[in-house]
Amino acid sequence: MLVSWVLSCRYAHADAAWLTLNIEGVEGKLAQNVLAHLGPLPDSAVQRRAYLFNVESNVSAALESLGYYHGRLEKEVVETDSGPWPLTLKITPGEPTRLQWVDIQFAGEILDDDAFDTWLDLIPLEPGDILDHGQYTDMKSQLLGLAFSRGYFDGKLTRSEIKVNRDLDLAQISLHYDSGQRYHLGEIGFEGHTLEPGFLERLIPFEPHAAYSNKRLNALNGKLLDTGYFANIKVLPQIDKLAQGQVPVRVELTPRADHAIELGLGADIGKSADNVIEPRVRVTWRTPQLNRYGHSQETSLEWKPDKPKFLTTYTLPLSHPLDDQLKIRLGLLRDQYGVTQDYDAAGRTFNDIGRLESSKYLLGLLRQRRLADNWLFGYSLEANREFYTQADVDYDPVFYLAGVRLSQTLRSDNSLDPKSGFRQIYSFEYGDPELGSQTRLARLQARFKWIDTFFDRHRIVSRLDLGANLAEEHQLAYISPSLRYFAGGDQSIRGYSYQELGPYRDYINSQGGLSREVVGGRYLMVASLEYQYYLTQHWRLGSFIDAGNAFDNRQFEPVVSVGGGIHWISPIGPIRLDLGVGLKETDTVDRSWRIHLTMGTDL
């Protein structure tokens, strides 16, 4: 098969080009290599002479670098008085040179390093392949780079050559490497911080004098980054100070600013129980390092119409700065749930008059520890008191909840838009009247989220949320609304408003009329499946289906919403604009639609 390549180069201020190029007889990688060796077309008469003079040697070099040593070139150039000179190159590559063998030999401590067995399995060169000098150069660079990254600083190539038999069209590759000894990590010194002596040493994720590897140093860098204490981190192996088989390491640190303020904005718009625009403003204040013991605080203020929230968390490192922490939480929260309706006898309909509102005060203690395989285990004690009016009766129950929580998050990368990952969370909380709680309550929750990307552009995001409250039937009204289960919102069923779905109760109101109120359920089951397609690296389209509901015993009434949106992968995380449409009309909510503007990573 013959392929013709035509190129031209034009003056910026002239009507004619200096040279046009037509290449015949090569295709694919070979044609691209010829073009690369020829270089850019000339833009002057002097450059044109030099270009034509070097054509034969450049084409020959391009063919031989890919194993074609018997190529032939026919060059035709027409010199004209005006206009470009047409240059035609007819190339016959000839028979390729193939590999007879690939001889790789190691000596030194590298023989006991499994990383090089893995590298050998991935080498793309095999006997019978067409010789490619570029692949050989890449293989040699990979070997030297891998050896250096694993501490073989005295290593050297003892033999590195390609032998070509042009008569037989065969080539032999020999690559012999003597690694010498493998160096180990020596003393690690931390500079530029104000923490207690020995505090940062607890972050070192490897044993003293472990074998050198860039992977271990990168892990140390990641641990330091996760603390949030530092704006800049440099982990520098002192290769020029090798001594007694060890490499000292200097860590240069630049502390973060004493305070950081983060602003978040969002909004829900649409037709549902709240037929209004519902803006959201969130301000987060962080102090990454309060003292030399590594204490930190994070305070968030969130405002929605009639739903302000204040929550502050004070964190104290215990036996390890990251893997063992005590968190103290204090919060003042106001929220709305469900929907409240009065019956209109004339119209024989229930009309919305508001929502169940509550004000909550909480104080909590949580100790969180990191286990093997990136599992997080925590146990907690939380005291909360909540004020609300339900069915025209005022309540203010107090709960003291002891809980345990186990979670794991796995990500393919540390970006704000991971290509794949899986998160699982399990929690159990218990309150008892003998310990001061309003009623006996056991809460169980499980949450799952799975992300994967196929063929670079196709991304799937799925989630499943499950919950159950175990309590006596006649005590349900005394369980705080924040401890019950509701559905709806941008993290639940997106066609409906925030927490407006769930079981309801009919009652006679203080005026003697009939009212209906969504009071939440004992159980929760919500699932979602979303398909996302990347238009570019920073823009994607999404389409989703959400289904489920909050419910009581034998009263599961699933609600479904569908929709889609456009997402911008911004430098501060994905920003999503989604439209959700509810497909079902319930006894308390008509078919609705909502527009959600949200920001944040999926994991």
Side-chain angles (χ1 to χ4, degrees), residues 343-523:
Y343 183 68
D344 179 5
R348 298 183 178 182
T349 60
F350 282 90
N351 298 321
D352 297 342
I353 61 169
R355 305 187 68 176
L356 194 162
E357 298 183 357
S358 78
S359 297
K360 178 179 179 178
Y361 304 85
L362 72 85
L363 174 65
L365 296 175
L366 166 66
R367 185 175 186 181
Q368 182 174 277
R369 308 192 70 175
R370 189 177 303 275
L371 308 178
D373 298 325
N374 210 37
W375 283 95
L376 289 177
F377 172 72
Y379 50 92
S380 62
L381 179 64
E382 180 182 294
N384 68 68
R385 186 175 187 180
E386 197 157 347
F387 298 85
Y388 58 95
T389 300
Q390 180 177 313
D392 286 349
V393 177
D394 294 333
Y395 297 89
D396 60 344
V398 174
F399 280 91
Y400 297 95
L401 297 173
V404 294
R405 176 186 170 101
L406 189 64
S407 65
Q408 183 191 50
T409 300
L410 302 174
R411 302 161 59 100
S412 61
D413 55 72
N414 291 321
S415 69
L416 296 174
D417 187 49
K419 296 299 181 183
S420 62
F422 178 65
R423 181 178 64 202
Q424 49 187 325
I425 302 172
Y426 310 91
S427 65
F428 172 76
E429 294 176 291
Y430 180 75
D432 195 287
E434 298 294 330
L435 300 175
S437 291
Q438 181 73 39
T439 184
R440 184 173 291 106
L441 172 65
R443 304 187 77 233
L444 299 95
Q445 296 184 83
R447 296 183 177 182
F448 308 91
K449 196 162 194 177
W450 172 74
I451 298 174
D452 210 346
T453 302
F454 304 92
F455 308 111
D456 295 332
R457 290 180 177 268
H458 306 271
R459 188 171 188 254
I460 300 294
V461 179
S462 61
R463 57 180 165 84
L464 175 64
D465 295 338
L466 304 172
N469 279 351
L470 306 180
E472 297 181 11
E473 180 74 29
H474 67 279
Q475 294 290 333
L476 293 181
Y478 293 95
I479 298 176
S480 307
S482 64
L483 300 177
R484 306 174 199 166
Y485 295 108
F486 297 83
D490 55 39
Q491 299 300 314
S492 180
I493 303 175
R494 281 168 277 190
Y496 299 86
S497 186
Y498 175 65
Q499 298 188 141
E500 74 174 348
L501 299 172
Y504 64 87
R505 299 285 186 272
D506 290 340
Y507 65 96
I508 302 301
N509 59 42
S510 57
Q511 284 75 41
L514 179 63
S515 293
R516 174 173 291 175
E517 191 167 43
V518 174
V519 295
R522 290 171 174 256
Y523 309 105

Side-chain angles (χ1 to χ4, degrees), residues 113-180:
D113 195 332
D114 293 339
F116 291 88
D117 292 332
T118 303
W119 175 77
L120 285 171
D121 292 337
L122 298 176
I123 289 177
L125 300 180
E126 294 182 358
D129 290 347
I130 296 176
L131 174 63
D132 186 331
H133 287 259
Q135 284 186 329
Y136 165 74
T137 301
D138 290 344
M139 179 180 68
K140 187 165 61 173
S141 297
Q142 289 172 10
L143 172 60
L144 295 175
L146 180 59
F148 194 86
S149 72
R150 296 186 65 78
Y152 299 96
F153 301 121
D154 298 330
K156 59 182 179 296
L157 290 168
T158 57
R159 187 176 183 184
S160 174
E161 63 182 11
I162 300 177
K163 289 185 177 181
V164 177
N165 187 325
R166 300 196 182 200
D167 294 331
L168 299 178
D169 294 327
L170 293 175
Q172 302 163 356
I173 288 180
S174 297
L175 195 62
H176 298 179
Y177 182 76
D178 185 351
S179 69

Side-chain angles (χ1 to χ4, degrees), residues 212-410:
Y212 180 96
S213 77
N214 283 355
K215 184 177 181 180
R216 288 192 168 107
L217 296 182
N218 290 337
L220 173 58
N221 186 89
K223 292 287 187 182
L224 293 167
L225 185 64
D226 289 344
T227 65
Y229 298 148
F230 308 111
N232 191 35
I233 302 166
K234 293 180 180 179
V235 180
L236 305 172
Q238 306 299 102
I239 307 298
D240 58 334
K241 297 181 180 180
L242 301 177
Q244 299 179 342
Q246 294 188 356
V247 186
V249 178
R250 185 174 80 248
V251 182
E252 298 177 356
L253 303 167
T254 304
R256 285 186 182 273
D258 291 341
H259 303 281
I261 303 294
E262 180 182 295
L263 178 65
L265 302 173
D268 286 350
I269 306 170
K271 177 182 181 298
S272 63
D274 293 327
N275 296 318
V276 295
I277 298 176
E278 186 177 87
R280 297 196 301 273
V281 180
R282 183 185 181 95
V283 178
T284 303
W285 166 40
R286 294 186 180 92
T287 307
Q289 182 187 331
L290 284 164
N291 52 40
R292 60 183 180 147
Y293 303 107
H295 295 188
S296 61
Q297 72 83 29
E298 178 177 308
T299 301
S300 63
L301 297 169
E302 183 174 318
W303 179 84
K304 301 179 185 178
D306 301 319
K307 290 177 280 188
K309 296 181 180 180
F310 166 82
L311 181 65
T312 185
T313 302
Y314 191 95
T315 301
L316 299 83
L318 299 178
S319 63
H320 189 276
L322 291 174
D323 297 345
D324 187 7
Q325 297 179 332
L326 177 66
K327 297 178 180 289
I328 304 172
R329 300 198 310 157
L330 175 66
L332 305 173
L333 314 174
R334 183 174 175 84
D335 219 332
Q336 294 181 327
Y337 305 87
V339 59
T340 303
Q341 300 174 326
D342 280 349
Y343 183 68
D344 179 5
R348 298 183 178 182
T349 60
F350 282 90
N351 298 321
D352 297 342
I353 61 169
R355 305 187 68 176
L356 194 162
E357 298 183 357
S358 78
S359 297
K360 178 179 179 178
Y361 304 85
L362 72 85
L363 174 65
L365 296 175
L366 166 66
R367 185 175 186 181
Q368 182 174 277
R369 308 192 70 175
R370 189 177 303 275
L371 308 178
D373 298 325
N374 210 37
W375 283 95
L376 289 177
F377 172 72
Y379 50 92
S380 62
L381 179 64
E382 180 182 294
N384 68 68
R385 186 175 187 180
E386 197 157 347
F387 298 85
Y388 58 95
T389 300
Q390 180 177 313
D392 286 349
V393 177
D394 294 333
Y395 297 89
D396 60 344
V398 174
F399 280 91
Y400 297 95
L401 297 173
V404 294
R405 176 186 170 101
L406 189 64
S407 65
Q408 183 191 50
T409 300
L410 302 174

